[in-house]
Amino acid sequence: MGSLGSHGFVQGENSREWGEEKEDGVIYTVSLKKVRHQTTTTSLQKLTHGENWFQPLQWETMKLRTLKAGTVERLVENLAPEDVEDQDTNSMHLNVFLATYRAFTTADQVLDILFRRYKEYKECRRRGENGKDSRHDVCRIIQSVLCIWMDIYQDDFDEPPAYRLLHRVLEFAEAQMSDGELARQTRHKLDRLRRSQALKSQQKVSVPNGHHLTSSEDVLFIENSDPDQPLDFDTISVQTMADQLTYMDAELFKKVVPHHCLGSVWSRRDKKGKSTTDAPTVKATIAQFNAVSFLVIATILRNTCSSTEDRVRIIEKWVDIAQECRILKNFSSLKAIISGLQSNPIYRLSETWAAVSKEKSEEYEELCTIFSEENNQMTWREILVKEGTAKYADTSSTKVKHVRKESAQKIQAQRLSGVMQGTVPYLGTFLTDLMMLDTAMPDTVDTNLINFEKKKKEFEVLAQIQLLQKTAQNYNIVPEPSFKAWFDSVEHLRYEESYRLSCEVQPLSDSMSPPAQGSRKERSLRKRISRLFSTSDWETSSANSNTSQSEDRVSETSMPDSPDSLVPEKMSASSSSSSLTSLEMSTSPYKNYDSSSNCVIRVSLSGESDNIYKSVLLTHQDHTPGVIKSLMSKFNLDAEEAEEYKLVQKLPDGELQIPDHGNCFYAINQSVEPNFILRKKSEEGELHRKSKKRTTLRKLMEVVSTQT
C-alpha cells in the first residue's frame, strides 16, 4: 500500500477498482484511491520563507484492499488484522461479519478462531519475535471485537439459564488477559442477563382466556378492563384504533432481530428438519400483520344482515384508520388494512364499493398507490427515504385536498405539542429485498470461498432495519386498557367461510369489479395482496388464533377458483443503504440486472402448498433442462430424474407449458406474474380430469345462482 509517511491526509478524491489479489483462502478486491496531502512545514522552511510560505499540494495514489471472499478462518482473522490498511474498511468488515456470520458459521467456531489467534500472538509477543508492536495491537483488537460483539449482538449470548457462550468468554478472559477489562464486562453482561430473565419470569402471568402476558403494559390491558362494557369496533374511535395498532406494531418491530430477516434464515432455505422457532421475531411481525388484515375482513363480514350503508360505514372507517396510520408513519398497519380491503371476499363487493363516498374513494385510492409496484415500489421507497428518520410525516404532496388540509392540521398540532413520531416500516419490503439477494447472489465463489460481497449487500439492508428501529423508539403511545384483549378476541374467518358470507351479501351472478378508478394497470396492482404478508392462512386459522400461521409461508395462500381470484404480488427488487447514519435507498443492488435479459421466477412444487416456493434468477441464456435441474436441487430432489419433470407457468386463464428443450427465458409470458409449477409429467392426465370437473361444477353453480 502506498504510505503517507509523515504527510497528513487531507481529502479523498477519486478511486477506482484496479483488480483482485488472491492469497491462501482469501480474495481481495484492490482499488486505487487518489488522495492529496500537504507536506509538513518545517521550522527551517518557515525561517527561510516566512510565515506566508505557500505549502504546495501533492497527490498520491493509495492501494486499498477489501475482502471479497474467503474461508471462515480468514474472515475471522480479518476482524483483527495484523496490518490495518484502512480503519474504515476494517470497521466495515467487523460490522458486516457480526451482522451476517450466522448464515455460514457458528458463534462457537468464531470464538475458537479468535481465542486461538489471541494465544498465538500473545505467545509471539512473549518470545519477542520480530519485535513488532502489531502483536500487541492484534491482541487488543481481539479484545475490542469481543466487547463490541457482546454489546451490540446480545442475543447471541442470551442463552438462559446456562449462558454457555458468556462463560466461555469469561473463562478465557480470566485465563489469558491480564488487564481484566474483558472479564469485568463479561461478568456485568452475565449479571444483567440473569436479572432480566428473573424479571421476565416474575412478570409472566397466566390469564383465564389462555393468553400468556409477558410485559406490564399487556397486563394493563386485562387488569383495567371492564367486563360489563366490552369493546366493539363501532365504539373504538379512529384515533384510538390507529394509536393502539401503532403501539403494537412498534413494540414488535423494535424486537425484530435484524439477522432473522436474512433470506437464508427466516425462510429456512435448504435446511431440512429445522426447528420452527427460526426467526421468531420476524414471524411475530408477520402474524401481527395478518391479524390486522383478518380484523378488516371480519368486521366487514361479521353480520351479513347488515345494510349496505352499514358496510360502507365500516369500510370508510377503515380508510380513516389507514389515513391516521399514515400520519403516524405506521406503514405496517397501513399496508395490512389495504391488503384486507383488497382481499377477494371484500374486493368483490362491488355494490358496497359503489356506495362509498367519492371523498373516501379518492383517499383510499391514494393510500393504495403508496405500495404500487410501479418502478420497484418507487413511491413507497421514496416516502421511506424522506420520512423514515424524520420527526413527522410529510403529506404535503397528497392530491386529495381535504386530506392535505386535515393532515397538515394534525401534524402542526404534533409539532406544537412537541410529540415526535417514530416509523414502523412495512417489513415485507426488506424481507423481499433480502430474499432477492439470497436468490441472485451465490453463497460461495472460487472453490467454496464464502462470498463476502453478498454479505455486504445484505448488511446494507439490515442497516436500514436497524436505523428504523432506532426511530421507532420515538413513539410515546400509552396502551389503551382492554384494547389488546378485544383485538385478540376477534374471531377470524377461514377463507371458505368469508367467501361464503361475501356471496350471501352479494351473490356470484351480481359480483363485479369495483368502479373503475385510475389506469387498468394501477387497478390490477392495487388488487394484489402482499406476497410476503398474506392476509390469511385460510385452512388453519380459526377463532382466537389470529397469531397462527403456516411456518413455511412465504407467499399469499392460494385460493379456490372464483371469478375474483387474486394473484400474488410481484417480487420487488432490493434497496440499499450504506450505513446506520443515513437512510439512502435511491439505488438498488440489482440495477446491473437488465430486466430485458434477466428476471426472477417463483416456482412451487406440484402436490405441495403454493406457499412454499423457490426463487430462481432466469437469464436469456438459460434453457429448460438446466432450469429444471437447478430447481430439483433446490427442492432436494434427485437431479437425475429431471427428464420426468416439466415447468409450467400459471396464467390468469390457465397454464403455459414451457418447451422441454427451449430457451426458458424467451418462452415464458413476461406480461403476467412469474409464478410457476414444477410438475411430474405423469400427473398431467389426472390434473386434466380434475380441471374439467371444476369447470363443470363452476358452470352448474352459476346456473343455480342465476335461477335462484
Side-chain angles (χ1 to χ4, degrees), residues 313-330:
R313 176 179 50 79
I314 295 173
I315 288 177
E316 291 184 345
K317 183 173 182 178
W318 275 117
V319 173
D320 290 336
I321 294 170
Q323 187 62 53
E324 287 299 325
C325 288
R326 171 69 184 89
I327 295 174
L328 291 170
K329 298 194 296 177
N330 178 5

Side-chain angles (χ1 to χ4, degrees), residues 45-62:
Q45 289 170 331
K46 287 184 178 181
L47 290 173
T48 305
H49 302 284
E51 291 294 334
N52 296 325
W53 177 74
F54 174 74
Q55 295 177 309
L57 288 175
Q58 295 185 10
W59 295 91
E60 184 175 3
T61 299
M62 297 177 62

Side-chain angles (χ1 to χ4, degrees), residues 598-652:
N598 299 273
C599 67
V600 175
I601 64 173
R602 299 190 294 270
V603 185
S604 58
L605 189 61
S606 178
E608 296 188 2
S609 172
D610 288 344
N611 306 328
I612 306 173
Y613 61 80
K614 304 297 181 182
S615 297
V616 177
L617 179 66
L618 205 62
T619 72
H620 66 285
Q621 298 178 338
D622 290 327
H623 287 70
T624 306
V627 174
I628 291 179
K629 286 183 179 180
S630 175
L631 288 167
M632 299 278 285
S633 176
K634 285 178 176 286
F635 282 111
N636 297 308
L637 300 173
D638 187 357
E640 294 182 359
E641 300 178 359
E643 292 184 358
E644 300 178 15
Y645 285 80
K646 64 180 180 179
L647 190 61
V648 177
Q649 183 176 11
K650 297 166 66 176
L651 302 177

Side-chain angles (χ1 to χ4, degrees), residues 157-437:
F157 300 87
D158 191 0
E159 304 171 305
Y163 300 102
R164 183 181 56 83
L165 289 178
L166 276 178
H167 279 291
R168 281 199 66 189
V169 176
L170 181 60
E171 291 171 3
F172 180 82
E174 290 176 339
Q176 299 292 332
M177 299 179 181
S178 57
D179 61 4
E181 178 62 23
L182 180 61
R184 185 189 64 79
Q185 292 192 31
T186 307
R187 291 192 199 95
H188 176 72
K189 180 71 67 177
L190 193 57
D191 291 341
R192 192 166 67 178
L193 288 176
R194 283 172 173 166
R195 288 196 301 270
S196 176
Q197 182 62 27
L199 187 61
K200 288 179 182 178
S201 299
Q202 293 175 2
Q203 288 182 339
K204 189 169 184 178
V205 180
S206 180
V207 293
N209 65 356
H211 291 281
H212 294 279
L213 309 176
T214 56
S215 69
S216 58
E217 291 86 359
D218 286 345
V219 174
L220 281 175
F221 283 120
I222 303 299
E223 292 179 346
N224 294 343
S225 299
D226 185 354
D228 298 327
Q229 296 182 352
L231 286 178
D232 184 78
F233 179 73
D234 295 331
T235 63
I236 303 174
S237 69
V238 169
Q239 189 63 57
T240 298
M241 182 73 77
D243 285 345
Q244 297 310 304
L245 290 178
T246 301
Y247 171 80
M248 296 167 68
D249 290 340
E251 290 301 302
L252 286 172
F253 178 61
K254 288 186 291 186
K255 294 175 182 177
V256 167
V257 179
H259 71 260
H260 284 177
C261 300
L262 290 172
S264 59
V265 176
W266 84 273
S267 62
R268 296 187 291 157
R269 172 173 59 83
D270 297 333
K271 295 182 180 179
K272 295 181 179 180
K274 195 70 173 178
S275 169
T276 55
T277 58
D278 286 344
T281 58
V282 173
K283 291 180 178 178
T285 303
I286 294 175
Q288 170 68 10
F289 180 98
N290 290 343
V292 174
S293 292
F294 273 127
L295 186 62
V296 174
I297 298 170
T299 53
I300 296 173
L301 297 176
R302 60 182 174 178
N303 187 358
T304 56
C305 297
S306 298
S307 63
T308 300
E309 290 74 17
D310 289 335
R311 286 189 295 277
V312 168
R313 176 179 50 79
I314 295 173
I315 288 177
E316 291 184 345
K317 183 173 182 178
W318 275 117
V319 173
D320 290 336
I321 294 170
Q323 187 62 53
E324 287 299 325
C325 288
R326 171 69 184 89
I327 295 174
L328 291 170
K329 298 194 296 177
N330 178 5
F331 297 100
S332 182
S333 280
L334 171 57
K335 172 70 171 175
I337 293 170
I338 291 173
S339 296
L341 293 174
Q342 292 176 336
S343 66
N344 202 23
I346 306 302
Y347 182 81
R348 64 175 297 278
L349 301 177
S350 56
E351 294 176 1
T352 303
W353 283 102
V356 174
S357 67
K358 180 181 178 182
E359 210 174 58
K360 291 301 174 188
S361 293
E362 291 176 349
E363 189 174 341
Y364 169 68
E365 289 296 315
E366 186 166 67
L367 290 173
C368 288
T369 59
I370 291 177
F371 298 100
S372 167
E373 286 296 303
E374 291 286 344
N375 297 322
N376 185 29
Q377 295 185 338
M378 183 58 69
T379 302
W380 155 234
R381 294 182 187 276
E382 288 178 346
I383 290 174
L384 197 56
V385 170
K386 188 176 182 180
E387 302 180 29
T389 55
K391 295 180 180 180
Y392 309 99
D394 182 1
T395 58
S396 58
S397 60
T398 179
K399 297 178 182 178
V400 184
K401 292 182 179 180
H402 76 276
V403 172
R404 183 166 62 247
K405 182 178 179 181
E406 294 172 4
S407 299
Q409 292 174 348
K410 292 177 181 178
I411 294 172
Q412 182 61 24
Q414 292 174 356
R415 293 178 185 274
L416 293 175
S417 62
V419 177
M420 293 190 302
Q421 301 300 340
T423 301
V424 181
Y426 168 52
L427 192 62
T429 300
F430 300 108
L431 297 180
T432 304
D433 291 347
L434 288 166
M435 284 190 67
M436 282 284 290
L437 282 168

